[in-house]
Amino acid sequence: MPNPTTWDNRADRVVPPSGYTARLTQFTAGAMAFLTVFALALSLATGRLADRWSSELARSATVRISAPVEQMGIQSDAALKVLLATPGVSSARILSKAEQQSLLAPWFGPDLPLDALPIPALIEVVETSDGVDTAGLRLRLQAEAPGAVLDDHTRWRQPLVKAADRLRFLGVVAIVLIAAATASMITLAANSALAANGQVIQVLRLVGALDTFIARAFVRRFTLRAFWGALVGTILGVTAILALPGASTEGGFLTGLGFQGLHWLWPVLIPPLAGIVAFVATRVAAFKALKGIT
Amino acid sequence: MIQLADVSYGYGDADLFSGVSLDLQPGSFYFLTGPSGSGKTTLLKLCYMDLLATSGKTTFFGKDAREMERNDIAHARRRIGVVHQDCRFLDHLSMSDNVSLPLEVAGKPRDTENLAELLGWVGLSSRAHAHPPELSGGERQRAALARAVITAPDVIVADEPTGNVDWEMSERLLSLLVELNKMGKTVLIATHDLNLIRAAKAQVAVRVLRIRDRKVQEAGADL
């Protein structure tokens, strides 16, 4: 029984080296890997965003008290009392003047005179995982503190979560399309190499070469080219991602475009996956082409 | 080993042969003669499955050619050493690599001593590292013969193997085929060279087949 490694090398050697298909395959795999890194980063970042918006914000709500100045304290206390007595509310607290000032600072600056402005009081509500019966809570708030308005963030959160989910889906679609485009390009390059080596294949068949032996030479070559090309593309893509500004609250989504924790393993998978795509594409192309040669 | 039963083959509408039957027996030595264009090369191609008969039955080592899978054909070809008229090689490999190609595709180890001896026998020792485009027509024919016999196949099919070599080399190549025949190998040679046939007849029992009127006939003792 021959050593499989030696056998592979033998099969590889019987096909002449081809210059431009090699470069084409490597370039394609590299470019596609680079794009895949970005598609992955986009998909993972939007995934994180969607998760955060749907889980963290879903468990919070705000009660806004709009009332005359003399009523503000009474209604705030009444609303807080109702909230703390409501099943599903984990905690509720009135935001301090300083906290309100910091919330408004991005729009009005740090020196906003809160006492001189009719700013509503805000109560931050944190829900338990069971959630709150918002309809019932609204009725009770209306009865006890008529100036209280419950905002459970649903109105703006749901479209954002939906948009983030769509972006994540589009990222996955982009990755699938990139893989399909890579397979198509490699199939074209493999077909070109097979056609250019028609006479070589005929000679090999006439001396008794099996289709698997002939195909192996092409498959091995294209698989390795795709792997190395994708490795270079992935390294460049990851470098570009690392060069992006770090995640910050001010930058929002765009500066959070990258990989976190175990997600760094995803780019590592790109070169082997590119190799697998090339393996399958070349194998299918080779066996199809060999069928036409006796 | 190889049987053609009532076989026909044609290009376009015209039949080149019809009703041809041939049974290559183990250990026998055949010459195939006939005028140019009579179909000698085509008949040989039918004998190594480069072509499939349009009608009739072709059997290789007990298997019907029409029922053979691609892998079966490849395995059958490993038992048939072929010297093609156009001596096709892999131009990017050296002559020694080309000659040992049947060993490589069969996954067999290359015996460098045997290879050197074989190349010496066909007079190509000094050309072992040359590439096919660098060789003359005669050298290519000798290399093709070496490639055909390197695995000691059961059947050797040669299309004008001495067409471009001098008489001395022809005799040398013939003696190689005769030795293989004495080892039990079947040999089928298409040739115009009557001297080669006579030289072979002096060494082994030879059957001469002649293509005439789209049929294969056994030639008489006149050859």
Side-chain angles (χ1 to χ4, degrees), chain A residues 226-283:
Chain A
F227 176 82
W228 289 116
L231 185 66
V232 173
T234 303
I235 290 170
L236 291 175
V238 169
T239 308
I241 290 283
L242 287 172
L244 286 172
S248 67
T249 313
E250 292 80 7
F253 164 71
L254 278 176
T255 55
L257 191 67
F259 302 101
Q260 289 175 6
L262 285 176
H263 286 169
W264 278 106
L265 289 175
W266 283 107
V268 175
L269 293 176
I270 294 174
L273 285 175
I276 291 169
V277 167
F279 176 87
V280 174
T282 315
R283 194 173 160 83

Side-chain angles (χ1 to χ4, degrees), chain A residues 80-100:
Chain A
L80 191 61
K81 203 173 169 185
V82 169
L83 287 166
L84 291 173
T86 302
V89 171
S90 170
S91 66
R93 67 182 186 89
I94 299 169
L95 292 190
S96 67
K97 294 264 185 212
E99 285 173 312
Q100 280 191 310

